[in-house]
Amino acid sequence: MDRLGRPAGDQAAEILRELGLRSVPGKGLPSPIDGSPLPAIAETDLVGLTDMVARAGQSFLSWRKAPPPQRGELLRRFSDILRGHKALLGRLVTIESGKPISEGLGEVQEMIDICDFAVGLSRQLYGLTIASERPEHHMREMWHPLGPVAIISAFNFPVAVWAWNAALALVCGNPVLWKPSEKTPVSAFAAQSLLQRAIAATPQASEGLSSLAVGGPALGAALAQDTRIPLVSATGSSAMGRSVGTAVAERFGRSLLELGGNAATIVTPSADLDLAVRAIAFGAAGTTGQRCTTLRRLIVHRSIYDALLPRLKSVFQQLPIGNPLDDETLLGPLIDRAALQGMQEALATARAEGGVITGGEHLHGLYVRPALVEMARQTDLTRKETFAPILYVMPYTTLEEAICLQRDVPQGLSSSILTNDLREAEAFLSATGSDCGIANVNMGPSGAEIGGAFGGEKETGGGRESGSDAWKAYMRRQTQSINYGTQLPLAQGISFEI
């Protein structure tokens, strides 16, 4: 509820009305904030999904012909629309996902940022020129639109990760089909509707350029199996990614997977402990521990263990927990009862393995206090990602030992080190250091910017989204050779005279 006592679900319905949108009759999912029903969103059946894929294929035939800067104009329009509706969409994200309002607004800002990035990219889809060994020949590489792109997104970033994919896919000349998490369909409905306004104002765009498929895992499975979709970008658990990746590979399609994380931060003797406390608190408790980059394992040098741990325990006990629509709140609720149960089960296992737990209490509803769990060693429990604010703390003696602990998990998304020693920092960033796709120094593992490619290794899936050259995943590469002479010399000195 807000300060006026209005249920969160009623506030969500009001936001949709302000956006000029209508939900369908009936009650939707409960808001994690107070359990009040959210607006209901029409679900998509498999017949409807098949039609969406067909319309996307037709749209591709014209959209691929639009010059990239004209495609960029679509993203510029969408960016402007998002700026005008940032407060409403950010609030809706918070109501539906439970993340603090500053994070809900930050998620919409990510959408704006990636759109701006895509506008610039529209004039920088560069290929290569390559020297040829054959006289009067030249070679070049060109990048062409790929085709309809399916996007399967997760609840914890209900609109931003879709925007990462959609903005790049669209500017690269591809239609998009979005299957959002079944836990956050309202935010997806609003975001898709705003994009449709930009599409309607873009002459080169046609029906089917962007579609929304609301429903459960059956829709994701159908997208993964559909041979008309050359690329499926999926964000979620490693188990989900294994299923999607296998189905796409069986038909020789492409998959871009952003899966589980199990981030670790190493705290060395030279670390600035004031900075460390702030970095650790946000890394472990931000988004109520429901980020793939959430700090889940803290590896602390024995010489500073007794100085750092009491400070962390004190901060964890004092973090403001409550209604995420209040500006002062830093921790909102978990997403649902399954998440709460998963946290409680993990803490019970940790206790049985000898872990010393501070915090972790179930307060009420879906609200919990973050848990700090002191573990003597790394166990199967700490190697598993529990999507909740649980921070396992382990001591180390040598940097080599700490890096081994950091690497000794199936996931490989994000990592960080807190140190003022240049040699330690560089060792952590070297080929023998962190094995993650993201490695930070003097910050936590969470809070990526759109300018860098986002993704990880091992069971994280190997995909890269957002900035840098991640756009190449949404295009097909073609090597072209041009003979501008009158002879036909062959490569490798081969002779074929007729």
Side-chain angles (χ1 to χ4, degrees):
M1 296 187 180
D2 65 5
R3 290 186 176 89
L4 299 177
R6 295 178 301 172
D10 290 353
Q11 295 181 63
E14 181 180 326
I15 290 172
L16 290 187
R17 288 193 295 270
E18 289 190 50
L19 292 172
L21 305 176
R22 291 184 178 181
S23 57
V24 298
K27 296 180 179 180
L29 295 171
S31 168
I33 294 176
D34 58 9
S36 60
L38 294 164
I41 303 301
E43 294 198 355
T44 307
D45 58 23
L46 291 177
V47 173
L49 183 67
T50 297
D51 290 342
M52 286 182 185
V53 177
R55 289 197 299 271
Q58 285 298 311
S59 178
F60 176 60
L61 299 181
S62 57
W63 187 241
R64 65 184 177 181
K65 297 178 182 178
Q70 292 183 12
R71 300 179 208 145
E73 278 297 292
L74 167 60
L75 279 306
R76 184 190 60 76
R77 291 187 179 97
F78 187 36
S79 176
D80 289 344
I81 291 170
L82 288 171
R83 283 180 167 88
H85 297 85
K86 178 178 177 179
L88 289 174
L89 185 56
R91 191 174 182 85
L92 187 60
V93 166
T94 288
I95 290 170
E96 187 172 38
S97 70
K99 61 174 56 179
I101 186 64
S102 66
E103 295 189 37
L105 294 170
E107 184 161 348
V108 182
Q109 187 60 50
E110 274 195 81
M111 300 173 73
I112 295 168
D113 292 345
I114 195 64
C115 286
D116 290 349
F117 181 92
V119 174
L121 183 63
S122 69
R123 295 181 183 273
Q124 299 181 76
L125 297 174
Y126 297 141
L128 294 173
T129 57
I130 305 167
S132 173
E133 67 181 75
R134 290 166 287 186
E136 297 184 308
H137 281 62
H138 72 250
M139 299 172 63
R140 65 188 182 197
E141 282 185 353
M142 293 287 288
W143 294 89
H144 293 306
L146 184 62
V149 173
I151 303 167
I152 302 172
S153 62
F155 77 87
N156 58 332
F157 282 85
V159 291
V161 172
W162 163 73
W164 287 1
N165 284 273
L168 297 192
L170 288 167
V171 85
C172 288
N174 309 308
V176 293
L177 301 109
W178 182 17
K179 191 274 179 202
S181 169
E182 55 269 33
K183 298 179 181 182
T184 51
V186 184
S187 301
F189 172 61
Q192 163 70 7
S193 299
L194 294 178
L195 175 57
Q196 287 293 351
R197 296 179 189 180
I199 290 173
T202 303
Q204 299 82 3
S206 61
E207 182 187 8
L209 188 59
S210 179
S211 302
L212 179 70
V214 174
L219 295 181
L223 291 170
Q225 295 164 5
D226 198 316
T227 57
R228 296 171 296 176
I229 301 173
L231 173 65
V232 177
S233 177
T235 302
S237 69
S238 295
M240 181 277 289
R242 188 173 286 109
S243 174
V244 169
T246 299
V248 175
E250 283 182 349
R251 61 176 177 84
F252 296 104
R254 295 190 203 173
S255 57
L256 196 167
L257 302 176
E258 296 290 355
L259 310 175
N262 194 348
T265 290
I266 298 170
V267 189
T268 75
S270 68
D272 178 334
L273 294 191
D274 291 335
L275 183 149
V277 169
R278 297 197 305 273
I280 293 164
F282 174 71
T287 324
T288 318
Q290 297 172 117
R291 290 182 181 225
C292 51
T293 55
T294 290
L295 173 57
R296 308 202 183 279
R297 297 174 298 132
L298 187 65
I299 305 167
V300 184
H301 194 272
R302 294 181 187 275
S303 67
I304 58 170
Y305 192 94
D306 291 338
L308 179 60
L309 264 290
R311 296 182 62 177
L312 287 177
K313 292 176 181 178
S314 176
V315 168
F316 271 43
Q317 288 292 317
Q318 297 175 42
L319 288 172
I321 303 168
N323 187 336
L325 292 169
D326 294 338
D327 291 337
E328 62 271 17
T329 295
L330 294 181
L331 272 83
L334 293 167
I335 186 65
D336 56 21
R337 288 284 169 184
L340 175 61
Q341 182 179 351
M343 179 176 181
Q344 293 173 326
E345 291 174 352
L347 291 177
T349 301
R351 189 175 289 109
E353 293 182 352
V356 179
I357 301 173
T358 301
E361 301 92 351
H362 175 211
L363 303 177
H364 59 85
L366 297 175
Y367 295 84
V368 296
R369 194 174 303 283
L372 190 152
V373 184
E374 298 175 72
M375 303 288 287
R377 59 185 178 84
Q378 187 136 270
T379 67
D380 288 343
L381 176 64
T382 66
R383 294 185 182 93
K384 177 184 176 183
E385 180 184 39
T386 300
F387 229 53
I390 302 175
L391 179 62
Y392 301 107
V393 186
M394 294 166 281
Y396 80 92
T397 302
T398 67
L399 183 61
E400 290 75 14
E401 176 192 0
I403 291 174
C404 284
L405 286 169
Q406 179 264 311
R407 295 169 65 109
D408 185 26
V409 294
Q411 311 86 355
L413 177 55
S414 190
S415 59
S416 75
I417 189 170
L418 297 165
T419 180
N420 284 326
D421 186 315
L422 178 62
R423 289 178 175 175
E424 289 178 333
E426 291 294 344
F428 178 75
L429 299 175
S430 73
T432 58
S434 170
D435 61 350
C436 295
I438 299 169
N440 299 332
V441 175
N442 286 333
M443 63 183 73
S446 197
E449 299 180 34
I450 62 96
F454 181 92
E457 305 302 325
K458 300 189 291 188
E459 288 190 5
T460 301
R464 293 298 186 274
E465 295 172 332
S466 194
S468 185
D469 65 347
W471 61 270
K472 293 180 179 178
Y474 306 87
M475 304 196 83
R476 61 181 177 87
R477 186 199 315 244
Q478 185 175 80
T479 301
Q480 303 172 345
S481 298
I482 299 96
N483 177 3
Y484 58 89
T486 59
Q487 303 302 308
L488 193 66
L490 302 178
Q492 294 88 47
I494 294 174
S495 176
F496 191 82
E497 298 296 334
I498 58 174

